[in-house]
Amino acid sequence: MGSIAGKLLLTSLLLCSVRLWAQEEGSDDNRKSNSHLGWPISVPLNPTAKFADAGTGVTYGVGYNFSRRHAIVGEFMWDWLNTGVSSPRGFGNVNGGSNLYVFSGNYRFELRGKTIGAYLIAGGGWYLRDSSPTTTSALGANGGVGFTVRVGAAPWRMYIESRYHYAPTKNINTQLVITTIGIRY
């Protein structure tokens, strides 16, 4: 997946969420739709850590709130995993990267007060790891915990969450802990 395809997908998701926001009236914490945009910082676990260092990217999601506590969230995440590849003696180091694209569906259980909240999130989806010269993909799963703080008028909230991601990708399983900081609406 090239960078143009990723940008088109992100633009499409943003336009869909704007349409959802426009359909709802008022600004309260009991909306039917939800959306978030975040900045993930990934820490690879073994065996992924043998080939990749910490990385970063972008996360975007939209979903439906069944109630204040129960929601589903469709999410796209792009994460650039920094790789330091050693080259033969006398050629120095070759720095590279591996792109991880994740399309997932998640369930969120949230306990939200007027100012602060906490939630559990878990789901699964398609994990595509694109490393030169190979690309591999597999179905995977994730789960974690998050915290929110209201900023400004409802329903705007800042969030921080940490999730474990696993996908049995070919040759090297993809295993990461990803901490994301972002804004929710």
Side-chain angles (χ1 to χ4, degrees):
M1 173 181 284
S3 63
I4 293 174
K7 289 176 186 175
L8 287 174
L9 177 63
L10 185 59
T11 302
S12 298
L13 290 172
L14 287 171
L15 290 175
C16 289
S17 69
V18 169
R19 182 170 170 84
L20 285 172
W21 292 337
Q23 290 176 1
E24 295 183 339
E25 294 183 19
S27 61
D28 62 47
D29 269 347
N30 297 315
R31 301 174 54 82
K32 291 296 181 189
S33 67
N34 65 66
S35 181
H36 69 270
L37 179 64
W39 175 50
I41 299 170
S42 61
V43 177
L45 303 175
N46 281 326
T48 310
K50 293 177 183 176
F51 304 96
D53 296 325
T56 188
V58 67
T59 300
Y60 180 73
V62 295
Y64 180 79
N65 298 323
F66 294 103
S67 68
R68 283 181 66 84
R69 293 191 176 182
H70 304 281
I72 57 170
V73 181
E75 189 172 66
F76 168 75
M77 179 184 73
W78 166 72
D79 196 282
W80 179 72
L81 300 172
N82 184 28
T83 59
V85 180
S86 297
S87 57
R89 183 177 278 234
F91 288 96
N93 285 331
V94 177
N95 291 322
S98 177
N99 290 300
L100 176 65
Y101 303 97
V102 179
F103 299 90
S104 65
N106 303 287
Y107 167 74
R108 183 174 66 215
F109 175 76
E110 184 170 11
L111 298 174
R112 180 176 5 127
K114 188 171 186 171
T115 305
I116 61 171
Y119 61 92
L120 299 173
I121 188 165
W126 183 53
Y127 287 70
L128 172 76
R129 194 178 66 221
D130 185 17
S131 305
S132 182
T134 62
T135 297
T136 182
S137 67
L139 293 178
N142 69 77
V145 62
F147 301 94
T148 65
V149 175
R150 185 171 168 181
V151 290
W156 292 99
R157 290 181 173 268
M158 293 289 298
Y159 74 93
I160 184 166
E161 74 176 31
S162 185
R163 275 198 251 179
Y164 170 75
H165 289 260
Y166 173 82
T169 47
K170 186 177 177 181
N171 297 327
I172 302 168
N173 291 335
T174 300
Q175 294 187 58
L176 308 160
V177 172
I178 298 178
T179 301
T180 305
I181 299 168
I183 187 87
R184 279 185 26 192
Y185 185 79

